[in-house]
Amino acid sequence: MRKMTRRIATALGAALLAAVPAAAQVLVADAGEDLLLECAAEGASATLDGTLSTVDGLPAQTDPNAAFLWEGVGVVFDDPASPTPTGTFPVGLTTVTLTLVYTEPVSLAETAVTDTVDVSVGDNTPPTVEAVADPSILWPPNHKLHQVDVTLVVTDACDPEPTVVLTSLTSNEPDDGEGDGNTVGDIQEAEIGTDDRSFLLRAERMGGGSGRIYAATYGAADLSGNSTDGVVQILVPHDQGDRAAAKAAERAAQKMAKAAEKAAAKAAKQAAKAAKKAAKQGN
């Protein structure tokens, strides 16, 4: 009978304990300081810091009953339940919300508080432009028109497809100068203000000059309004000696262009891989 009474008393005590409301916890969610980042690879990566969040004045990250949840539109976190997740943020302003949830271990009642952090990603870096003309040397100077094709490699940290236009195509000599034959229209079929990469140039230069230099200037701009120019030169050497030096420069330019194309292809492949990974994590 005494054992039965003890069991009843124990059960009654547990029931009374469960019926007593748990003491309220004081929760503070702290999402950290606002961040200002520079764009890279179509966004920017940063680690957020919620370690100043507390439960009754103690670090929430050490409390087994506390849980973190980070959320932001367009943001992919490596671990949204971590106190310090790393995320990739798009260009512009993104407000991220940290939700701190405390689960009372006896009643399993949940209490939640939130805090926000603003992450601003700016793009202040203009695109880079590498340009190579084919051919880059017009020889012999026989007054004939030659089709010139330009290969451009334009890269930008954030914009995968910057806009490109031919802003000017000039010659350092007049069309009909002294000792260059009686011809005009040395530059033809060039559409200024468009992405024109093919035009006609005349192979001639002034007899008393040091050689003709045609200069094609391309302007590249990204979505943030950053712009830069790239210039490619097409030469009509004065003589064979100048032509040999120009040929060497042409080979160096072609080598540089191939390296730039390879680097751009690698960057595009990495960006596609990152986008695929982000999409997979988002799902």
Side-chain angles (χ1 to χ4, degrees):
M1 183 66 178
R2 186 177 298 172
K3 291 183 178 179
M4 178 66 71
T5 303
R6 188 180 297 119
R7 285 198 292 269
I8 294 172
T10 301
L12 180 60
L16 290 173
L17 181 61
V20 175
Q25 305 295 326
V26 179
L27 307 182
V28 176
D30 190 325
E33 298 293 326
D34 293 342
L35 299 178
L36 181 60
L37 310 174
E38 176 66 16
C39 180
E42 301 182 23
S45 178
T47 299
L48 302 185
D49 187 359
T51 58
L52 294 182
S53 301
T54 59
V55 177
D56 285 344
L58 298 177
Q61 61 182 328
T62 62
D63 193 318
N65 302 307
F68 292 80
L69 177 62
W70 299 84
E71 297 175 295
V73 177
V75 184
V76 177
F77 290 108
D78 60 345
D79 183 2
S82 167
T84 55
T86 298
T88 301
F89 301 86
V91 177
L93 174 64
T94 301
T95 298
V96 177
T97 300
L98 166 62
T99 301
L100 177 65
V101 180
Y102 180 82
T103 302
E104 208 288 319
V106 176
S107 67
L108 300 182
E110 292 186 347
T111 304
V113 292
T114 63
D115 189 30
T116 61
V117 59
D118 288 337
V119 180
S120 299
V121 179
D123 178 11
N124 301 300
T125 304
T128 60
V129 181
E130 299 287 348
V132 174
D134 181 24
S136 64
I137 301 170
L138 306 182
W139 190 265
N142 56 8
H143 315 294
K144 291 184 177 180
L145 287 168
H146 294 259
Q147 178 174 316
V148 176
D149 298 313
V150 176
T151 298
L152 292 173
V153 178
V154 183
T155 57
D156 186 77
C158 296
D159 185 355
E161 295 183 357
T163 59
V164 179
V165 296
L166 176 64
T167 59
S168 68
L169 180 53
T170 62
S171 169
N172 67 331
E173 295 181 347
D175 273 12
D176 192 13
E178 294 183 2
D180 67 354
N182 298 317
T183 57
V184 293
D186 293 350
I187 300 174
Q188 297 182 25
E189 298 184 9
E191 297 184 19
I192 305 299
T194 70
D195 188 3
D196 187 1
R197 307 185 188 191
S198 182
F199 37 78
L200 300 179
L201 300 178
R202 194 178 303 280
E204 70 176 29
R205 80 289 185 268
M206 295 174 60
S210 58
R212 176 173 292 189
I213 302 174
Y214 293 103
T217 301
Y218 288 88
D222 61 25
L223 289 173
S224 298
N226 304 303
S227 62
T228 190
D229 288 337
V231 181
V232 59
Q233 294 184 341
I234 302 91
L235 309 180
V236 185
H238 181 270
D239 52 42
Q240 288 282 13
D242 291 342
R243 184 191 176 202
K247 273 291 184 183
E250 180 182 37
R251 287 192 294 270
Q254 290 174 342
K255 184 177 180 180
M256 181 178 63
K258 288 182 179 179
E261 285 183 318
K262 186 177 180 180
K266 183 179 180 180
K269 185 177 181 180
Q270 290 176 337
K273 184 177 180 180
K276 185 176 180 180
K277 181 179 179 181
K280 184 177 181 180
Q281 290 177 337
N283 293 331

